[in-house]
Amino acid sequence: DTEVTQTPKHLVMGMTNKKSLKCEQHMGHRAMYWYKQKAKKPPELMFVYSYEKLSINESVPSRFSPECPNSSLLNLHLHALQPEDSALYLCASSQPDRLQETQYFGPGTRLLVL
Amino acid sequence: AQTVTQSQPEMSVQEAETVTLSCTYDTSESDYYLFWYKQPPSRQMILVIRQEAYKQQNATENRFSVNFQKAAKSFSLKISDSQLGDAAMYFCAYRPNNAGNMLTFGGGTRLMVKP
């Protein structure tokens, strides 16, 4: 089973709203990622959690706040977003100890900021 | 810094025919992994095939195979007997063995399959 789930599938929010994106995996992976993807572009890495600790933060604005409550869950808290933040937000997971480490992606949350 | 280049923004292929998607990369590392991911419209990104740089044998997964040329830093994807369901964005990705968990993606190739 290589399933990564994300909720919600779609989200529309105003620039003053606070919302959260959720990601869950039950593959026992200990690394989880948030990516942002614009249309017809490759994913851009935002954050990496490894063993529930934030290991990479790609200079993402503070209006995006990640959280890793446990090894299976990853949240992305959104506050005071801008219209240019509208994109597909992808979650991925992998097992960092394995030599053939492969990232598995969720279906994404399509976010529209008005 | 590593870069991954997909020189074909769009490709099209007739159903049942064969198509090859190009990917080149730049790295000074000797130990790394290469991946092809498929992302259908409004659907999930899924792994198509994976290649370890230390393996000389080209990876194969059913109708999908790669031509890995390490010296040329080339990693092309061949899709045989193309099907309508193969229509998608295809991303080539690179990960060095010592870089933690970071993938570097190419810009993507949109593949269209004509019935």
Side-chain angles (χ1 to χ4, degrees):
Chain A
D1 184 9
T2 56
E3 186 175 78
V4 177
T5 60
Q6 290 187 243
T7 55
K9 289 185 179 180
H10 302 274
L11 179 63
V12 180
M13 60 186 292
M15 289 189 284
T16 59
N17 292 156
K18 286 185 180 180
K19 297 287 185 182
S20 296
L21 310 184
K22 297 184 183 300
C23 174
E24 189 168 7
Q25 56 88 14
H26 293 289
M27 295 179 278
H29 289 173
R30 300 306 297 274
M32 296 185 76
Y33 314 75
W34 280 115
Y35 288 88
K36 174 183 178 181
Q37 186 180 25
K38 290 283 199 179
K40 299 185 180 179
K41 297 291 185 182
E44 300 172 22
L45 184 65
M46 300 174 73
F47 303 104
V48 180
Y49 274 83
S50 184
Y51 295 92
E52 294 91 68
K53 292 186 178 179
L54 184 63
S55 62
I56 295 175
N57 177 341
E58 290 290 318
S59 301
V60 178
S62 60
R63 57 186 184 267
F64 296 91
S65 174
E67 178 195 20
C68 190
N70 60 54
S71 60
S72 300
L73 293 173
L74 184 67
N75 298 322
L76 185 63
H77 303 297
L78 315 173
H79 174 55
L81 294 193
Q82 303 298 310
E84 60 264 29
D85 297 323
S86 299
L88 181 67
Y89 287 85
L90 295 170
C91 174
S93 72
S94 70
Q95 181 55 300
D97 299 331
R98 291 186 185 161
L99 188 61
Q100 294 185 359
E101 182 190 344
T102 298
Q103 291 186 26
Y104 295 94
F105 287 82
T109 294
R110 195 163 297 279
L111 174 67
L112 177 62
V113 181
L114 300 176
Chain B
Q2 296 92 0
T3 58
V4 179
T5 301
Q6 294 177 246
S7 60
Q8 307 149 318
E10 285 191 357
M11 292 280 287
S12 66
V13 62
Q14 203 71 34
E15 194 175 6
E17 297 293 309
T18 295
V19 65
T20 299
L21 308 184
S22 301
C23 174
T24 59
Y25 56 95
D26 185 23
T27 183
S28 57
E29 303 286 339
S30 60
D31 191 12
Y32 51 87
Y33 300 89
L34 296 162
F35 307 84
W36 277 100
Y37 282 92
K38 169 187 177 182
Q39 189 176 36
S42 301
R43 293 184 65 186
Q44 193 160 347
M45 183 174 294
I46 59 173
L47 178 69
V48 175
I49 201 164
R50 172 181 56 214
Q51 175 80 43
E52 295 87 349
Y54 62 85
K55 289 187 177 179
Q56 292 187 341
Q57 186 173 5
N58 289 325
T60 299
E61 288 287 345
N62 301 315
R63 298 184 294 107
F64 298 87
S65 61
V66 299
N67 183 4
F68 173 48
Q69 302 288 329
K70 190 172 185 179
K73 297 179 182 175
S74 171
F75 182 61
S76 60
L77 175 70
K78 185 172 83 170
I79 306 174
S80 304
D81 185 26
S82 296
Q83 300 175 1
L84 295 178
D86 295 333
M89 283 290 287
Y90 286 82
F91 292 101
C92 177
Y94 161 96
R95 182 182 72 80
N97 196 25
N98 61 352
N101 309 322
M102 293 184 65
L103 281 176
T104 299
F105 285 93
T109 296
R110 182 185 172 205
L111 177 66
M112 293 171 285
V113 181
K114 299 177 182 177

